[in-house]
């Protein structure tokens, strides 16, 4: 379990009870922390009650805007502007509206995984990366609190995201992204661009 920090928000009000006899019994929120700029938005990490690695190719097939890296075992997608990353044993999400929304999203992901598992006989698993991230997808992972700071040499974050999209830049040029607090965003972005 990840250590709690002082800025963790209360972890309460999980709307879904653990589901007995289901593939995935629960998605347990480990921490919820504020987004860096908008205090009414949160990011969170949750752990799966079992390893779901075998389900990632099936989820890649059913989630419309998924970006999947099979060798890394990482699947990213956006859900109502919330940015979700699934790993075999855990998940992270950014830009959830609040703690209630975070818990609801965790429960929805548990239900999505269980529903996909029940229907896996009808689903052709997809091991390929199905689409490249757009510049706007990339923009969503850049540090909001330094928006348009210019340290990467570009006038705007969107210009930097467009460069990455064209394969012309390296994410290390965005120095704010190298801070420890952005490790999850950095990892997701590297996986998307690899
Ligand atoms: S350094 Fe990062 S945060 Fe600053 S403008 Fe460039 S991309 Fe945006």
């Amino acid at each position: 379990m990840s250590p709690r920090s002082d800025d963790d928000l209360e972890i309460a009000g999980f709307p879904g009870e653990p589901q007995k006899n289901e593939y995935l019994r629960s998605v347990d929120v480990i921490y919820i922390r504020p987004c860096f700029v908008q205090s009414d938005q949160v990011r969170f990490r949750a752990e799966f009650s079992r390893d779901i690695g075998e389900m990632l190719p099936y989820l890649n097939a059913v989630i419309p805007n998924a970006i999947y890296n099979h060798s890394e075992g990482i699947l990213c997608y956006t859900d109502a502007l919330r940015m979700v990353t699934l790993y075999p044993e855990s998940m992270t999400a950014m830009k959830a509206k609040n703690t209630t929304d975070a818990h609801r999203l965790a429960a929805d992901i548990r239900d999505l995984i269980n529903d996909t598992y029940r229907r896996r006989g009808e689903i052709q698993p997809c091991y390929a990366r199905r689409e490249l991230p757009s510049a706007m997808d990339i923009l969503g992972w850049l540090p909001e609190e330094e928006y348009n700071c210019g340290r990467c040499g570009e006038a705007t974050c969107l210009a930097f995201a467009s460069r990455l999209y064209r394969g012309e830049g390296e994410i290390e040029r965005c120095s704010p992204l190298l801070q420890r607090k952005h490790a999850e965003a950095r990892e997701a972005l590297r996986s998307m661009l690899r």
Side-chain angles (χ1 to χ4, degrees), residues 14-15 19 23-29 44 46-48 52 55-56 59 62-63 75 77-79 82-87 90-94 101-117:
F14 186 57
Q19 296 184 332
Y23 174 80
L24 186 62
R25 190 176 56 81
S26 62
V27 177
D28 302 311
V29 176
F44 70 95
E47 289 182 349
F48 301 133
I52 65 148
M55 290 304 298
L56 290 178
L59 293 164
V62 300
I63 297 173
L75 186 148
Y77 65 99
T78 54
D79 176 328
R82 299 169 298 192
M83 315 197 70
V84 180
T85 306
L86 304 183
Y87 306 92
S90 64
M91 60 156 289
T92 61
M94 294 164 39
D101 187 42
H103 287 294
R104 188 178 299 124
L105 179 58
D108 287 350
I109 288 172
R110 178 203 59 199
D111 294 345
L112 170 67
I113 294 169
N114 283 336
D115 180 60
T116 304
Y117 179 78

Side-chain angles (χ1 to χ4, degrees), residues 52-61 63 65-77 86-88 125-133 191-192 194:
I52 65 148
E54 63 182 346
M55 290 304 298
L56 290 178
Y58 291 89
L59 293 164
N60 185 34
I63 297 173
N65 59 349
I67 298 165
Y68 181 45
N69 186 324
H70 182 63
S71 61
E72 299 277 331
I74 299 178
L75 186 148
C76 306
Y77 65 99
L86 304 183
Y87 306 92
C126 178
Y127 296 86
R129 183 197 300 252
R130 289 188 301 159
E131 61 180 70
L132 291 172
S191 175
M192 287 162 81
R194 202 166 278 143

Side-chain angles (χ1 to χ4, degrees), residues 146-157 159-160 173-176:
E146 303 286 350
Y147 198 62
N148 294 342
C149 72
R151 278 181 237 164
C152 57
E154 301 294 333
T156 64
C157 290
F160 183 68
R173 283 180 49 205
C174 173
S175 53

